[in-house]
Amino acid sequence: YDRKLKLADLGLAGVGSNSSPGEIVATPLYMSPEVAMGTGSYDVTGDIYSFGVMFYELSAGVPPFTGSIEELQRAHIEKLPPSLLSVNPDLDPELARYIDSMLAKNPGERPQSWADVREHLAAIRQRLNVSSGQNLVHIEEPDHDADLKDEKSRRETASWYIVIVFTIVIIIGLIVLLIVM
């Protein structure tokens, strides 16, 4: 376990090109309504929708929609997800509303660019940092000295166990030798 965050399955989606006409190629949990409808009209707002689904899932612990591929496709097109605040009332209300806005069915109602998303999330983070007086994300630098001390302590403890086990084995061996003779 290397404690490194890894990003996988970007939910790449498309219609046409290398697939049969009208065939949808997408990760069902994260597809935007445009992809689910197979309209072929895609832009950055579809990616923002998919990011919003992922952000919702990270914030709620559950995706906004579940079910079979067909049920997910219909949900992305027709259903509104439960309000993020109703699923996670501990979440900052402004952040929850912004994530919900990424999941708007109409692409024109979503944030229109990654720059908009970045700026809005940075403003929320700044507001939360200022109000709490601390960083939301704390990256702890590794304490190499403590790691070395821990390793030395583990080695010393292991050495004592070896000495104790070895001593017990010798005593048992001597007892067996005395009994046999």
Side-chain angles (χ1 to χ4, degrees):
Y1 180 65
D2 62 9
R3 298 187 59 108
K4 292 182 182 174
L5 181 63
K6 294 180 174 92
L7 183 62
D9 187 3
L10 300 176
L12 301 175
V15 175
S17 66
N18 293 331
S19 59
S20 303
E23 181 183 13
I24 298 171
V25 180
T27 304
L29 276 174
Y30 305 98
M31 70 175 118
S32 69
E34 307 86 88
V35 170
M37 288 187 281
T39 62
S41 60
Y42 311 110
D43 63 13
V44 69
T45 60
D47 293 333
I48 290 171
Y49 179 92
S50 297
F51 176 71
V53 173
M54 182 187 67
F55 209 166
Y56 183 104
E57 184 176 4
L58 288 170
S59 301
V62 295
F65 306 114
T66 58
S68 68
I69 292 172
E70 294 78 18
E71 291 169 331
L72 286 167
Q73 188 174 5
R74 248 189 330 279
H76 284 295
I77 296 169
E78 301 169 358
K79 292 184 179 177
L80 289 177
S83 161
L84 191 47
L85 272 180
S86 70
V87 180
N88 181 357
D90 295 329
L91 198 62
D92 176 71
E94 184 182 353
L95 178 60
R97 282 190 298 275
Y98 194 68
I99 294 169
D100 286 340
S101 78
M102 291 182 201
L103 299 177
K105 300 299 176 191
N106 179 347
E109 295 173 6
R110 296 181 205 138
Q112 296 299 298
S113 71
W114 286 112
D116 291 345
V117 171
R118 184 177 53 248
E119 288 170 18
H120 201 98
L121 292 177
I124 291 171
R125 187 180 89 194
Q126 178 63 31
R127 179 182 54 77
L128 292 174
N129 283 346
V130 168
S131 66
S132 71
Q134 58 185 338
N135 288 328
L136 287 176
V137 177
H138 175 68
I139 300 174
E140 199 169 300
E141 291 297 320
D143 185 351
H144 297 293
D145 291 337
D147 290 343
L148 291 174
K149 288 176 188 170
D150 287 345
E151 182 61 29
K152 184 178 178 186
S153 175
R154 279 192 292 273
R155 271 191 253 127
E156 288 173 355
T157 301
S159 295
W160 276 109
Y161 285 127
I162 291 170
V163 168
I164 291 169
V165 169
F166 186 70
T167 303
I168 291 171
V169 168
I170 289 177
I171 292 171
I172 291 172
L174 288 173
I175 293 171
V176 168
L177 245 171
L178 289 172
I179 293 173
V180 173
M181 294 173 113

